[in-house]
Amino acid sequence: MTLPFPALHASHSGVWLADADGVRELSRGAAIRAAADTPVILLNAPLVGQRLGHPELSGLDLLELYAFLFPARFIVPTPAGIARACALPVPASDGEIAAMLRAAAIALLDMAGGDWPEREGAWTAGQSLARARWPWAPVVGPRLTKPATAERWLFSKLPEWDEAAPRPAPRTVQVDEDAVLTRLHALTGAGAEIRAGQRSFATTVAQAFAPRAMRDTPNMVMAEAGTGIGKTLGYLAPASLWAERAGGTVWVSTFTKALQRQLGHEGARLFPDAAERKARIVTRKGRENYVCLLNLEDALQGGFAGRAAILAQLVARWAAYTADGDMIGGDLPGWLPQLFRRNGSTALTDRRGECVYAGCPHYRKCFIERAARASADADIVIANHALVMVNAARGREATTRPTRYVFDEGHHLFEAADSMFGVALSGAETIEVRRWIMGPEGSGRGRRRGLAARLSDVASYDEQGGIAIGEAVEAARALPADGWIGRVLEGQPFGPIEHLLAAVRGLVFARDESGGVDAGYGLETELAEPDPALIEAAAAAAVALDALLRPLVVLGRRLEAVLSDAPDWLDGQARARIEGAVASLGWRADMVGAWSALVARIGGPADPDFVDWLAVERYEGREFDIGIHRRWLDPTRPFADAVLKPAHGVLITSATLRAGGDWDVADARVGAPHLIRPPLHFEAQSPFDYAGQAQVLIVTDVKRGDLPALANAYARLIVASGGGALGLFTAIRRLRGVHARIADRLAREGLTLLAQHVDPIDTGTLVDIFRDDPASSLIGTDALRDGVDVPGRSLRLVVMEGVPWPKPSVLHAARRLANGGKDYDDRLVRARLAQAFGRLIRRADDHGAFVLLSSACPTRLLTAFPAGTPIRRVTLDEAVEISRGLAIAATLGQENRETA
């Protein structure tokens, strides 16, 4: 077949158009005019539009067509990725890429005319997409054969979950050393190399699964296992053995999605049969990660318009084939919502806590409820630190709460607890509570309903409950409403909370000492010596918050009374809905209570357990939130109370658990001092030959703050290594400045530069692209410093812009004062350096250099790197030559590496 549409490809080195007459290079202006005159075939329209300087560029995006044809299948969204998916030769030049895009469109459309695994539902979805004016619909529609019988649509196709009897409590068992080693041998395989460090790790961490001897005192093991030890299988061996023998569930918690995916893959070693594996290993995430079927139905029935309606149809196609309904880190391609500028994707998840549980017509097919029930009967539940803490602090699943935890990436527990147990009385937080209570206001559309609508049957049955609902709705009117930020900026706040936020903003700007140097970024000041305006506003806000808290507490009690003295109409579904409402009310009441405590502190004495401050949040000069913030000085205290003390066994492990200090420091960062019994400590050094595989180069002649010099250093190092570089920044502004200066320069060398916070691509997909192309480089911020696993030649150079000193915030200053001053800073920096260095050597045949662009890196920080790693202070010229030598060596092979 032939297509009348041209294909447009834009890179940092130019723009090319391919049509029936061949391929030609265009100017950016000519390319924009061509795209306006006729539909053009594109690959990732937002990215092409950004490179052309025309963000609203649209056309026939091949990624949208692929997502329609093959929902729940991931491809790397690059020319090489689409070429491989279409069984086409990978193009070698920009001109060839443009021609390949036309060929890929033809190949995909040919597939649409045939038979493929995801064919069911395509014709029906195609009709809906045509009504939504999807650009591909006129081309795809004629190629889809109308089915002889009506297709099963999403809500009839999804299976229902079944209720089951509660699982008995785990039996008391002892996991012996021989059994652990036998299980470990089975997991690693008969032909695998026997690693002494892994065996010692497995037998030691098994002690976390011994019977508990004292209440509120878990068997706690803290194990630092260097990269390459094989700690994942090392702890899965005793964990799976205990789960099997005790009939219990072990929750394995991570900080990054990358490790969650890795654990999912390792599960195939435990349970090779896919059906058994699905039943015995379950991945759990927060509710906001899963598609909400009720929200999706609303979007499909007219709740979304324009491009958002097209996204809803593509998500519905995916929902019919997804393994778990996870929109954030599951099998929905991370690049799909980005194609729609995230227009509407967040509205398809349950982000506001408005779930009506059994009141939802899709309750028995809900992905969230399915995962919750599956996890109750699973052997291994793969979760994340935030979900573990949320479930422990305010979860609905009290009867199935786990007693054994494995916290991998345990060095992140402090920051996860810091976020979870913090409080923010801000415009963004309060307006969400208003919407949750009052429902839609004005002309707002959607299925969102307030308390009165969600609990109408309770209000009609229980008079006091109905009165409490009415009082809560009335009190919620004191909270900020839509447009609050504009009113505050104009000096016309409405209501006591908006007046409070206005007073906060006034005091923050009055005490700003930056002199406007960071005019585009947020401002903050201590909550100390408040002015009369803030004290007066706080008094009025306290009254308003108390008026809101009282009916919420009363309503929670009335709902519990309805459950205990069940009326005739309270069937199983109604009970589940009210139980869900009780949990949501408890969470919201706790939040409002914390706000009240925070406001009461204004003008009074400070609480030594907390750090309080005022902040104005800004992004690129635009104010988007204002608030009062409170964090625990030591957030591991509430973590220990909510998670550690109720547990029977806890393993906390990481490759950098002690980075920056000794075991006392590591203990303090995870809450161990708050337990009666001290933890067992274990250490296993990495088996890698860091002396022969890695180098640390400290560049001494790049001046701090000199952006052109910084950009030049990054460009020269990346060119010398031939790509394969991971660049780490501590500030988004400098990252963008460097990218703007070097992206075109690298493109002329045939090297792709990917950039977090610049490219309209999610971070996970950026890492996938980086891993897929050894000639590409990736620059980013903190999210790339840890949890990025890119072994092999794709990552052979790590470059940090400078010593990663902590940001001098109010919170950091308080913790610094309480934890040793300069030594506390040094511990944090060493931890960050160790985590960044850990990206470089991931397996035994990896080689590379870690470059720190710092003219004055203190020697005391260099203990962050593994013992034996060569560390040299060099000029940029020397670092470039060393990087070039390493690149040459990588192509020569091991036998010539030392000579090179």
Side-chain angles (χ1 to χ4, degrees), residues 10 28 79 87 288 332 381 386 396 405 434 463 466 550 622 744 803 852:
R28 291 184 178 181
E288 70 279 359
L332 180 75
V381 173
R396 297 170 56 224
Y405 294 101
R434 178 188 176 110
E463 182 180 1
R550 282 186 283 104
R622 183 181 65 86
D744 291 354
V803 177
L852 184 63

Side-chain angles (χ1 to χ4, degrees), residues 695-886:
Q695 296 187 53
V696 174
L697 307 176
I698 302 173
V699 175
T700 58
D701 58 349
V702 176
K703 184 179 178 181
R704 181 178 177 85
D706 188 340
L707 188 61
L710 183 67
N712 179 61
Y714 268 95
R716 292 186 61 193
L717 288 165
I718 291 172
V719 170
S721 68
L726 177 65
L728 300 173
F729 290 77
T730 57
I732 296 174
R733 181 175 54 185
R734 287 194 293 278
L735 180 154
R736 288 175 170 164
V738 167
H739 179 271
R741 283 171 166 82
I742 70 174
D744 291 354
R745 174 179 171 182
L746 294 177
R748 290 192 292 270
E749 299 281 349
L751 303 174
T752 301
L753 181 64
L754 308 165
Q756 188 189 23
H757 305 294
V758 177
D759 292 326
I761 303 173
D762 65 289
T763 300
T765 302
L766 284 173
V767 174
D768 289 330
I769 297 172
F770 177 50
R771 185 185 293 112
D772 187 62
D773 181 7
S776 68
S777 295
L778 173 60
I779 58 177
T781 51
D782 283 353
L784 301 181
R785 191 185 64 225
D786 199 3
V788 173
D789 187 15
V790 183
R793 287 198 68 245
S794 288
L795 201 170
R796 50 195 179 271
L797 178 69
V798 176
V799 186
M800 290 195 80
E801 65 162 324
V803 177
W805 296 110
K807 182 181 177 181
S809 65
V810 172
L811 180 60
H812 173 73
R815 287 177 177 162
R816 185 181 190 272
L817 184 64
N819 291 284
K822 186 177 74 173
D823 290 341
Y824 180 71
D825 283 347
D826 288 353
R827 289 196 297 269
L828 294 180
V829 172
R830 282 195 291 266
R832 293 170 182 177
L833 289 173
Q835 292 155 15
F837 179 85
R839 303 309 98 213
L840 187 63
I841 307 299
R842 308 298 297 172
R843 62 189 189 192
D845 58 349
D846 283 352
H847 290 76
F850 181 92
V851 180
L852 184 63
L853 301 174
S854 173
S855 59
C857 177
T859 302
R860 67 181 185 273
L861 301 178
L862 302 183
T863 55
F865 302 110
T869 306
I871 302 175
R872 301 166 58 187
R873 295 182 186 271
V874 298
T875 65
L876 177 60
D877 288 343
E878 292 172 319
V880 168
E881 288 307 312
I882 293 170
S883 298
R884 183 175 291 114
L886 289 172

Side-chain angles (χ1 to χ4, degrees), residues 500-778:
L500 176 64
L501 299 178
V504 167
R505 182 177 184 270
L507 193 58
V508 169
F509 276 96
R511 295 181 178 175
D512 174 30
E513 297 182 359
S514 68
V517 174
D518 288 328
Y521 295 87
L523 299 174
E524 62 180 34
T525 188
E526 292 180 78
L527 179 49
E529 302 298 331
D531 62 356
L534 182 59
I535 294 175
E536 182 179 348
V543 173
L545 292 174
D546 182 65
L548 176 60
L549 179 60
R550 282 186 283 104
L552 293 180
V553 172
V554 170
L555 179 57
R557 291 173 180 165
R558 296 311 306 165
L559 292 179
E560 290 173 350
V562 169
L563 290 174
S564 62
D565 186 15
D568 294 340
W569 54 265
L570 192 70
D571 58 12
Q573 288 195 347
R575 174 175 288 276
R577 178 169 54 83
I578 295 178
E579 287 174 347
V582 169
S584 297
L585 273 168
W587 167 31
R588 302 291 185 177
D590 287 346
M591 179 183 292
V592 176
W595 291 346
S596 294
L598 188 53
V599 169
R601 176 255 185 273
I602 298 175
D607 189 326
D609 290 333
F610 297 99
V611 182
D612 303 328
W613 72 97
L614 314 174
V616 175
E617 308 293 341
R618 299 189 297 185
Y619 183 74
E620 295 185 342
R622 183 181 65 86
E623 295 180 32
F624 64 89
D625 203 7
I626 303 167
I628 310 171
H629 298 261
R630 164 169 281 185
R631 295 290 178 92
W632 283 82
L633 186 63
D634 176 11
T636 67
R637 277 182 55 186
F639 169 67
D641 290 338
V643 180
L644 297 182
K645 290 180 181 180
H648 287 227
V650 177
L651 164 63
I652 300 177
T653 186
S654 166
T656 56
L657 201 56
R658 291 183 303 162
D662 52 22
W663 278 117
D664 288 341
V665 172
D667 288 351
R669 297 286 289 181
V670 300
H674 304 301
L675 302 176
I676 298 173
R677 180 178 169 185
L680 173 67
H681 295 140
F682 172 83
E683 176 189 1
Q685 296 291 335
S686 172
F688 297 144
D689 175 21
Y690 287 109
Q693 291 181 249
Q695 296 187 53
V696 174
L697 307 176
I698 302 173
V699 175
T700 58
D701 58 349
V702 176
K703 184 179 178 181
R704 181 178 177 85
D706 188 340
L707 188 61
L710 183 67
N712 179 61
Y714 268 95
R716 292 186 61 193
L717 288 165
I718 291 172
V719 170
S721 68
L726 177 65
L728 300 173
F729 290 77
T730 57
I732 296 174
R733 181 175 54 185
R734 287 194 293 278
L735 180 154
R736 288 175 170 164
V738 167
H739 179 271
R741 283 171 166 82
I742 70 174
D744 291 354
R745 174 179 171 182
L746 294 177
R748 290 192 292 270
E749 299 281 349
L751 303 174
T752 301
L753 181 64
L754 308 165
Q756 188 189 23
H757 305 294
V758 177
D759 292 326
I761 303 173
D762 65 289
T763 300
T765 302
L766 284 173
V767 174
D768 289 330
I769 297 172
F770 177 50
R771 185 185 293 112
D772 187 62
D773 181 7
S776 68
S777 295
L778 173 60

